[in-house]
Amino acid sequence: MSQRSAADHRRAEISEMVAEQGFVRIDELADHFSVTTMTIHRDLDDLNERGVLSKVRSGAKATPLEVIERNVTFRQHHLLDHKRAIAAAAAAWIRERDDLSVVALDDSTTVLALADLLSTDESLTLVTNFRPAIERIAEADAAKLIGIGGAFDPQFQSFHGASAIESVRSIQVDVACISATSVWRGALYNPAEAPLLVKRAMLRQAEHSLLLIDHSKFSRRALHRQAGLEEFDAVIVDSDIDEDTLGALRSSAEHVIVAPVVQR
């Protein structure tokens, strides 16, 4: 693993530790990763600058969840191997079914990894309100693209509001691919209401639905209920989920697919 790649993986793990524990000391992080405190200082400076956490004198404290959700640049690179594994499993699920040609993609970076895989398939029509996904699908110039317009939110890099919801309602969707910020007690939650309403519209409009969710979402809490796990045909999660959480998930969801993660 290159020095840069090692730093990226360490910083991703630091962000998870801080999010889960609320506060972590610099000396604890140095011991955990077997690196110097100066290395941890550099890691925290980078994560603090990107808004992932708040660096304080003796360590780092968690950034409010809604702030992280609005940091699309960070989310695109966070747990990328896990998102790619989940996306590969979702693409396989879709391609196994000949009757699925119109796919709605929400504004999550987990589903963005799926957009990369589906964008080269000329037999598909991809529907999304997420600007990065629109740009990547258009660049691939293969799958048909329907961009959902509306009120553009530069922080989420997606289109929301009444116009976006009406646009979704005007399309017959075969399968909606959705993610969420938090999974708690058999339901999904989101800290922001505007993107949540578009996700709900996609779910209501689709004949089938997939939930794409990485293991970190099970330790989070968010304000607004998005949907129940029972509303999805399948829930796809990465293989780093712990056994207890996986057992609870299987008891709430109709079908669970565990995607093996390959570290790059």
Side-chain angles (χ1 to χ4, degrees):
M1 184 183 296
S2 69
Q3 185 175 0
R4 178 62 183 170
S5 179
D8 288 341
H9 281 286
R10 186 176 61 250
R11 289 169 185 176
E13 189 172 343
I14 289 171
S15 68
E16 286 191 64
M17 290 175 64
V18 174
E20 291 175 3
Q21 299 178 36
F23 173 81
V24 182
R25 294 177 57 86
I26 288 173
D27 56 354
E28 292 174 348
L29 290 170
D31 289 342
H32 179 81
F33 293 102
S34 299
V35 297
T36 66
T37 56
M38 287 305 299
T39 296
I40 296 298
H41 273 288
R42 287 192 292 271
D43 291 339
L44 297 185
D45 285 339
D46 175 75
L47 294 170
N48 181 81
E49 185 176 344
R50 288 192 273 155
V52 177
L53 50 72
S54 297
K55 184 183 179 185
V56 295
R57 184 170 182 176
S58 58
K61 64 180 183 179
T63 298
L65 189 55
E66 186 167 357
V67 175
I68 294 176
E69 284 301 301
R70 293 175 183 272
N71 191 336
V72 174
T73 301
F74 166 71
R75 289 193 292 118
Q76 283 182 325
H77 297 93
H78 183 57
L79 295 177
L80 185 55
D81 291 335
H82 300 72
K83 292 173 181 177
R84 285 170 172 163
I86 293 167
W93 191 94
I94 291 169
R95 287 169 177 156
E96 287 171 359
R97 291 156 177 80
D98 296 332
D99 59 335
L100 305 183
S101 60
V102 181
V103 183
L105 308 171
D106 76 357
D107 62 348
S108 66
T109 54
T110 304
V111 175
L112 180 61
L114 175 60
D116 288 335
L117 297 178
L118 300 183
S119 63
T120 57
D121 191 332
E122 295 181 351
S123 69
L124 295 178
T125 297
L126 305 181
V127 181
T128 184
N129 66 321
F130 195 25
R131 178 179 172 180
I134 291 171
E135 292 173 347
R136 294 187 189 186
I137 296 165
E139 185 177 356
D141 195 26
K144 301 177 185 67
L145 169 64
I146 298 178
I148 298 298
F152 181 69
D153 188 325
Q155 296 185 81
F156 289 104
Q157 287 291 300
S158 54
F159 297 88
H160 307 143
S163 297
I165 292 170
E166 285 303 313
S167 294
V168 172
R169 288 174 177 169
S170 70
I171 301 166
Q172 189 171 9
V173 176
D174 293 321
V175 58
C177 299
I178 305 293
S179 190
T181 302
S182 165
V183 181
W184 185 62
R185 293 186 178 179
L188 316 178
Y189 291 83
N190 198 297
E193 193 169 13
L196 174 148
L197 294 176
V198 179
K199 293 171 189 279
R200 282 181 180 171
M202 288 180 173
L203 280 173
R204 285 195 297 266
Q205 198 64 20
E207 185 72 20
H208 302 281
S209 57
L210 291 178
L211 174 63
L212 283 62
I213 201 96
D214 72 69
H215 69 279
S216 70
K217 307 299 176 66
F218 294 86
S219 62
R220 296 179 176 180
R221 296 292 180 267
L223 181 61
H224 302 286
R225 189 181 190 277
Q226 180 174 310
L229 289 173
E230 75 281 356
E231 297 179 45
F232 294 87
D233 293 70
V235 177
I236 305 176
V237 67
D238 65 85
S239 56
D240 279 352
I241 187 172
D242 66 72
E243 287 299 323
D244 289 343
T245 304
L246 180 59
L249 177 61
R250 291 190 191 280
S251 68
S252 300
E254 181 176 331
H255 180 50
V256 177
I257 300 171
V258 179
V261 178
V262 178
Q263 300 288 350
R264 302 190 182 187

